[in-house]
């Protein structure tokens, strides 16, 4: 019987010495999360100033001069041509350079989201046992 008791004590003390400092807690599980990166396109409309162009003023002036030349006779024809050219240039310039234009702009935004992807065992730290020598109780 002494052999059995000694053997049991040796096995018990070996188990304590090699015990994992972390032990699983009653099969409890906790959620496991991962970070997922999701690209997303973000778009918006933006007013942009158009570069100045003189093509509309030139074509409008020519067309207005031709139309003005068809009206009147003598000095009246000359005045009508000048007025038609000036009016055509102003109308053509207004049509060609109508101010700003709307441009659609887009960019890709990386969104990071924390998503649960399963469960993992919830570990807790095992209680530490302190051993004292009987001689230290002074």
């Amino acid at each position: 019987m002494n052999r059995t008791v000694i053997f049991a004590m040796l096995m018990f003390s070996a188990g304590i010495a090699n015990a994992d400092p972390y032990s699983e807690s009653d099969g409890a599980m906790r959620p496991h999360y991962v970070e997922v990166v999701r690209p997303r396109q973000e778009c918006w409309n933006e007013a942009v100033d158009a570069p100045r162009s003189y093509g509309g003023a030139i074509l409008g002036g020519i067309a207005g001069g031709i139309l003005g030349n068809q009206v009147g006779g003598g000095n009246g024809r000359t005045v009508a041509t000048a007025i038609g050219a000036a009016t055509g240039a102003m109308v053509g310039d207004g049509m060609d350079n109508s101010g700003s234009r709307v441009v659609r702009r887009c960019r890709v935004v990386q969104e990071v989201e924390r998503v649960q992807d399963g469960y993992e065992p919830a570990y807790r730290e095992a209680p530490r046992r302190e051993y004292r020598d009987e001689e230290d109780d002074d």
Side-chain angles (χ1 to χ4, degrees), residues 60-99:
I62 292 171
I66 291 173
L67 289 174
N69 194 28
Q70 303 298 318
V71 179
N75 285 340
R77 178 175 280 182
T78 305
V79 172
T81 302
I83 291 175
T87 304
M90 289 187 335
V91 170
D93 184 54
M95 289 177 69
D96 191 30
N97 298 311
S98 60

Side-chain angles (χ1 to χ4, degrees), residues 27-33 118-123:
M29 302 294 276
R30 68 175 180 190
H32 181 262
Y33 294 94
Y119 291 90
E120 63 184 358
Y123 292 100

Side-chain angles (χ1 to χ4, degrees), residues 50-67:
R52 187 95 178 138
S53 171
Y54 297 103
I58 293 171
L59 289 177
I62 292 171
I66 291 173
L67 289 174

Side-chain angles (χ1 to χ4, degrees), residues 130-138:
E130 293 186 21
Y131 296 98
R132 292 180 171 192
D133 290 335
E134 293 178 13
E135 297 171 2
D136 291 341
D137 289 339
D138 295 334

Side-chain angles (χ1 to χ4, degrees), residues 5 12 49 54 56 60 62 68 70 73 80 90 95 108 112-114 135:
V5 172
F12 180 72
D49 290 333
Y54 297 103
I62 292 171
Q70 303 298 318
M90 289 187 335
M95 289 177 69
V108 176
V112 178
E113 185 177 352
R114 200 168 171 228
E135 297 171 2

